[in-house]
Amino acid sequence: SAVISQKPSRDICQRGTSLTIQCQVDSQVTMMFWYRQQPGQSLTLIATANQGSEATYESGFVIDKFPISRPNLTFSTLTVSNMSPEDSSIYLCSAKNPGQTYGYTFGSGTRLTVV
Amino acid sequence: AQKVTQAQTEISVVEKEDVTLDCVYETRDTTYYLFWYKQPPSGELVFLIRRNSFDEQNEISGRYSWNFQKSTSSFNFTITASQVVDSAVYFCALGGFKTIFGAGTRLFVKA
């Protein structure tokens, strides 16, 4: 299975600023996903990121707020823009494991607190 | 629509007790995957098991076992002889092109 390095692991940010979260995969993967986990809640898919095309966003999430880059098959970033306290969450990236139909690996998560 | 229901919000047990976490899913797909993940207090998501819709054999891995029943759309997870280190939030998930997560069950194992 792929291994994902996600950073930062945690951050405390001022409202109105932006934070970029990075995920580096140790192998080439076609599909990567970004999830948000609000405090005490389950994981919600933000978007699917494929290399060479724009990310596909789920209902309730927009590119201006959560721009995503996927410059190659091993890397992706998610930016949380113009942050407010409501953006305080854990953000996780995920990748579809090469050669597996529905095998996914998750990064270790970024715990974001907006003050 | 796809949906995963974990009706148990929190479960508290004493160490060495057995505990079963329930998961019921809804999907119209004929091919799908079911997952269980563990999320300890540190926040990372730890993969436990993946089961495809064509394989209804129950699985045992050490103290963990899973009971997949397609007839009732359930994929329950049992921890035998629970330990304090099992304390975590456990998520059941339904996978196709996208993965849909249940709300999670928070398990407290007391010494």
Side-chain angles (χ1 to χ4, degrees):
Chain A
S1 298
V3 176
I4 301 177
S5 298
Q6 182 173 345
K7 57 182 180 181
S9 59
R10 60 177 62 227
D11 207 341
I12 301 174
C13 300
Q14 297 290 324
R15 67 176 67 200
T17 63
S18 298
L19 175 72
T20 296
I21 303 167
Q22 300 180 2
C23 277
Q24 178 73 53
V25 191
D26 68 344
S27 55
Q28 294 186 336
V29 294
T30 53
M31 297 172 68
M32 293 187 71
F33 307 86
W34 287 95
Y35 289 85
R36 181 177 72 181
Q37 185 181 23
Q38 295 176 300
Q41 303 295 315
S42 185
L43 285 80
T44 301
L45 182 65
I46 297 172
T48 302
N50 294 326
Q51 193 267 337
S53 62
E54 283 198 7
T56 303
Y57 289 82
E58 298 298 305
S59 176
F61 297 97
V62 295
I63 188 171
D64 290 346
K65 176 67 176 177
F66 298 102
I68 289 172
S69 78
R70 184 85 202 275
N72 56 53
L73 291 174
T74 63
F75 188 77
S76 181
T77 68
L78 169 77
T79 299
V80 186
S81 303
N82 189 24
M83 288 184 285
S84 66
E86 292 71 37
D87 294 320
S88 298
S89 297
I90 296 175
Y91 293 85
L92 294 108
C93 65
S94 173
K96 181 175 172 301
N97 290 322
Q100 296 182 18
T101 304
Y102 292 118
Y104 302 95
T105 297
F106 283 82
S108 53
T110 297
R111 192 180 295 268
L112 171 63
T113 303
V114 183
V115 297
Chain B
Q2 296 190 317
K3 186 178 177 182
V4 177
T5 301
Q6 294 180 256
Q8 304 149 307
T9 306
E10 288 187 2
I11 300 176
S12 184
V13 299
V14 177
E15 210 170 18
K16 298 184 183 176
E17 284 186 16
D18 298 347
V19 57
T20 295
L21 310 182
D22 297 333
C23 174
V24 175
Y25 63 93
E26 294 176 28
T27 181
R28 293 180 182 172
D29 293 342
T30 54
T31 302
Y32 52 89
Y33 281 73
L34 296 163
F35 305 82
W36 275 95
Y37 289 90
K38 175 182 180 180
Q39 188 176 43
S42 51
E44 76 271 23
L45 217 58
V46 178
F47 168 80
L48 295 178
I49 189 171
R50 177 180 67 250
R51 178 51 54 90
N52 75 54
S53 53
F54 295 107
D55 183 2
E56 288 192 70
Q57 278 195 344
N58 292 329
E59 183 159 339
I60 297 175
S61 176
R63 296 185 296 109
Y64 295 168
S65 62
W66 291 269
N67 183 354
F68 177 27
Q69 295 205 351
K70 213 167 177 179
S71 60
T72 56
S73 297
S74 66
F75 187 44
N76 297 337
F77 172 32
T78 297
I79 302 174
T80 303
S82 60
Q83 300 176 1
V84 173
V85 293
D86 295 326
S87 297
V89 180
Y90 291 86
F91 291 100
C92 179
L94 171 65
F97 177 73
K98 302 172 188 175
T99 303
I100 307 297
F101 285 82
T105 298
R106 185 177 296 275
L107 174 64
F108 295 98
V109 181
K110 295 178 284 189

